[in-house]
Structures are given as structure tokens and as C-alpha cells.
Amino acid sequence: LRNYRAPWFTTYVIDQLVEKYGHDKVFGGGLQIYTTVDLELQAYAQEVLEQAMRNLSRARANRGAIVCLDPRTGAILAMVGGPDFQHDEFNSAWQAYRQPGSSFKPYVYTTAMERIGLKPTDSWNGSPATFTGYWGKYSPENFDDAQGGMMSVATALAQSVNLVAVRVIIKVGPQNVVDQAHRMGLDADHTRLKPYPSLALGSGEVSPLEHANAYCAFANGGFKVDSF
């Protein structure tokens, strides 16, 4: 396996093939497999991840992943599941579930646009507050104290203002955001996204592959695609 030109991608494909056809057929059946990988992009993605890991060495980061998809079709063009396949074959691109943080916020705003007619020009409050509901008491903070006050939804998303996202998810309903995320392809087994206000700040867990897959809808005019 370590001799593969794209080991992260190749082992992902083999895993799918074995599940579908069985070990004997895959390794002894004389199959020819045609894939979507772009080897030039794959090599570049590996270089980018290795450089990122070096940059984050002071933060003691030891894992990372990159997934590149064609948003029109869902074709996986490149997949890097870690810094060094020879030392650790665990593929973080699709096997690791991590909190997406603020990159989850677009799902919140998408839900609100569909359900309550939220517009980018609408004005919302970004000031700190404590919110009480079935979740108990929740007192989130912004990354920067200067992010408080009234602002447009477009500004709140561009500046990743936590308190606006939290107010929006409470207004639209956390369960509706969970349902929307499911429709876009996140959390297929319906076990990792919980309907709480903190979900707006990425408290659930997703894999890089499913997260990138769901984001394809933002790039292709709103159509869900399935990665392959």
C-alpha cells in the first residue's frame, strides 16, 4: 500500500470496493478500477497539508486532512488523510469526526433563509447575552469584543459573529437546522448533530469529506451531490 502514488485516496477506494464486492473479488478478481483522482492536485494537496502541519507544530497539532471535490458532480479529485501515510494510515479525511466550528454557520443561515425568509441585508444584534430555553442557560461570546451591536446578516457571516448566529438558530429552531444539515448530507446516521444553540458555533461533529460534500450545494446553485 505504501507504494501507491495516492495512498490516502487509493485505500479509500479499496475500502469501498471491498464492502461492495468482497475481499477476494477486489484483490484476486482482475478488476480494472477507474477513479476520479487528479494526481497533480493530489500531490499539491499533500504538500499543502505538510506545510500546514509544520506551521502548526508549535500548537502541537498532529493531524490534518484535505478533501477536494468537484461541486458540480461530487467527484473526489484529491484526498489527504494525514501528514504521513507510512507512519499512520488512519484517514482523517473520512474516518475522523471533528467539530467544524464556525464553518457550520452557513447551514444555520441557509435554514433561516428557507424557513423565515432571512435576507443578507436584515439587521441582527451581535451583542453578548444569556439565552434560556430547554437547553438551560447558554452564554456564548464573540471572538472579538468589537463584534457587538447591530449589523447585517452578510456582515455577521463575513466576520463570523457568534452571537448573531446563535440568535438566528434560536429563532429558526435548532432542530430545523439539524434537519437541513441532514438534507445537505451531514451526519447520515443522525447521531452527531444535536439540536442545541451551540450547534450554530459548530459543536456537532462532521468528517472533512461530508462537510466538503455538503458545501458543494453552496457552489453549484443549491443542488445536493453525493461524493464518489
Side-chain angles (χ1 to χ4, degrees), residues 83-143:
D84 190 345
F85 185 83
Q86 295 190 30
H87 289 90
D88 186 354
E89 297 179 12
F90 181 79
N91 193 332
S92 293
W94 69 280
Q95 292 177 309
Y97 295 105
R98 299 290 184 267
Q99 292 182 335
S102 289
S103 65
F104 191 87
K105 290 173 183 173
Y107 303 115
V108 176
Y109 291 118
T110 296
T111 307
M113 288 176 180
E114 292 194 354
R115 286 193 163 266
I116 63 174
L118 186 77
K119 297 187 295 294
T121 54
D122 288 347
S123 184
W124 282 71
N125 188 359
S127 299
T130 296
F131 305 94
T132 303
Y134 64 82
W135 53 83
K137 291 185 177 181
Y138 181 48
S139 302
E141 298 180 353
N142 290 322
F143 179 77

Side-chain angles (χ1 to χ4, degrees), residues 8-9 14 17 21 33 35-36 42 44 66 71-72 92 95 120 126-127 132 137 153 158 168 188 192 197-198 204 225:
W8 300 110
F9 181 94
I14 290 175
L17 291 170
Y21 298 109
I33 309 300
T35 76
T36 58
Q42 175 73 26
Y44 179 65
I66 293 178
R72 299 167 298 177
S92 293
Q95 292 177 309
S127 299
T132 303
K137 291 185 177 181
V153 170
V168 171
R192 290 176 275 111
S198 60
V225 296

Side-chain angles (χ1 to χ4, degrees), residues 29-187:
L31 301 178
Q32 290 185 329
I33 309 300
Y34 298 87
T35 76
T36 58
V37 68
D38 180 329
L39 288 175
E40 184 176 352
L41 184 61
Q42 175 73 26
Y44 179 65
Q46 186 73 55
E47 293 176 5
V48 169
L49 181 63
E50 291 171 357
Q51 181 60 54
M53 299 305 297
R54 287 192 290 269
N55 294 342
L56 291 170
S57 60
R58 292 185 178 180
R60 294 181 293 180
N62 56 16
R63 295 218 65 85
I66 293 178
V67 180
C68 301
L69 302 180
D70 182 340
R72 299 167 298 177
T73 64
I76 302 173
L77 306 178
M79 174 185 288
V80 182
D84 190 345
F85 185 83
Q86 295 190 30
H87 289 90
D88 186 354
E89 297 179 12
F90 181 79
N91 193 332
S92 293
W94 69 280
Q95 292 177 309
Y97 295 105
R98 299 290 184 267
Q99 292 182 335
S102 289
S103 65
F104 191 87
K105 290 173 183 173
Y107 303 115
V108 176
Y109 291 118
T110 296
T111 307
M113 288 176 180
E114 292 194 354
R115 286 193 163 266
I116 63 174
L118 186 77
K119 297 187 295 294
T121 54
D122 288 347
S123 184
W124 282 71
N125 188 359
S127 299
T130 296
F131 305 94
T132 303
Y134 64 82
W135 53 83
K137 291 185 177 181
Y138 181 48
S139 302
E141 298 180 353
N142 290 322
F143 179 77
D144 189 333
D145 292 339
Q147 291 180 321
M150 302 302 294
M151 67 191 73
S152 70
V153 170
T155 296
L157 178 57
Q159 297 182 2
S160 193
V161 179
N162 290 343
L163 267 296
V164 172
V166 169
R167 283 185 169 92
V168 171
I169 195 173
I170 291 174
K171 176 69 174 179
V172 76
Q175 185 60 54
N176 288 326
V177 174
V178 171
D179 293 342
Q180 177 68 31
H182 289 162
R183 284 193 294 271
M184 295 179 70
L186 294 183
D187 186 24

Side-chain angles (χ1 to χ4, degrees), residues 207-223:
S207 73
L209 177 58
E210 66 178 349
H211 199 23
N213 194 145
Y215 257 55
C216 285
F218 296 132
N220 67 23
F223 293 94

